[in-house]
Amino acid sequence: MKELIGREITYTAPEALGRAAIRYFALALGDDNPLYTDPEYAGAHGYRDVIAPPTLICETNQYANLPRDEDGYAGHSWNIGVPGARLVRGGNDYTFHQPVHPDDVITAMWRIQDVTEKAGKVFVLSRATYTNQHGELLAVNDETLIYVRPT
């Protein structure tokens, strides 16, 4: 498993994020913050346009154009096979550097940072770095995946 360290994969959206994606994501979250839907309100608060709810860009199924897996998920996955184990998401640590706007074209670059085994579990630590079409850093997502074998 240590040979996975350093593995990278990059996804670049085929188009700008768009107002509809921002509006639908906010709706799905139940978040009626006008920064996400009202350009005048966003402008009055110092933004050049509406902004996206922060975690929208961390959902690569929004823009990565990936096929659905056997569970119907169309976002980033490492597809690591750990015999006899099931995948448990161990958590995410997000750092947001600047707001995302409708005209941003997002690139997500994922990298496996570390793989360790402890108490019969395999821990995969990866980092996603999100940038826009200008190469500006938008966010970083440190994710922990845990592969658990039945006892």
Side-chain angles (χ1 to χ4, degrees):
M1 296 291 286
K2 289 285 188 185
E3 68 274 3
L4 294 172
I5 297 172
R7 183 174 167 194
E8 293 181 356
I9 189 163
T10 300
Y11 308 102
T12 298
E15 72 275 312
L17 190 58
R19 288 176 187 273
I22 292 171
R23 184 176 64 252
Y24 293 153
F25 194 77
L27 250 159
L29 293 175
D31 191 337
D32 60 359
N33 186 333
L35 288 174
Y36 307 145
T37 57
D38 184 340
E40 289 179 17
Y41 183 86
H45 287 82
Y47 299 103
R48 62 179 170 80
D49 199 345
V50 298
I51 61 171
T55 58
L56 172 60
I57 62 169
C58 300
E59 298 296 334
T60 54
N61 58 338
Q62 293 288 323
Y63 55 83
N65 203 25
L66 295 169
R68 293 181 185 275
D69 67 13
E70 63 276 356
D71 296 322
Y73 179 66
H76 168 73
S77 174
W78 288 112
N79 296 317
I80 299 170
V82 178
R86 65 184 172 87
L87 172 62
V88 177
R89 297 213 175 263
N92 298 80
D93 183 18
Y94 301 109
T95 304
F96 298 99
H97 293 273
Q98 64 177 301
V100 177
H101 294 91
D103 61 347
D104 282 331
V105 177
I106 309 301
T107 294
M109 195 281 293
W110 284 86
R111 182 180 190 280
I112 295 180
Q113 303 290 93
D114 197 15
V115 178
T116 57
E117 188 166 352
K118 190 183 331 179
K121 300 175 183 145
V122 177
F123 295 82
V124 178
L125 308 175
S126 61
R127 170 172 284 175
T129 303
Y130 304 91
T131 56
N132 65 16
Q133 68 274 22
H134 307 294
E136 298 169 333
L137 182 61
L138 301 172
V140 174
N141 172 13
D142 289 316
E143 179 177 68
T144 303
L145 302 175
I146 307 168
Y147 293 85
V148 180
R149 294 183 179 98
T151 56

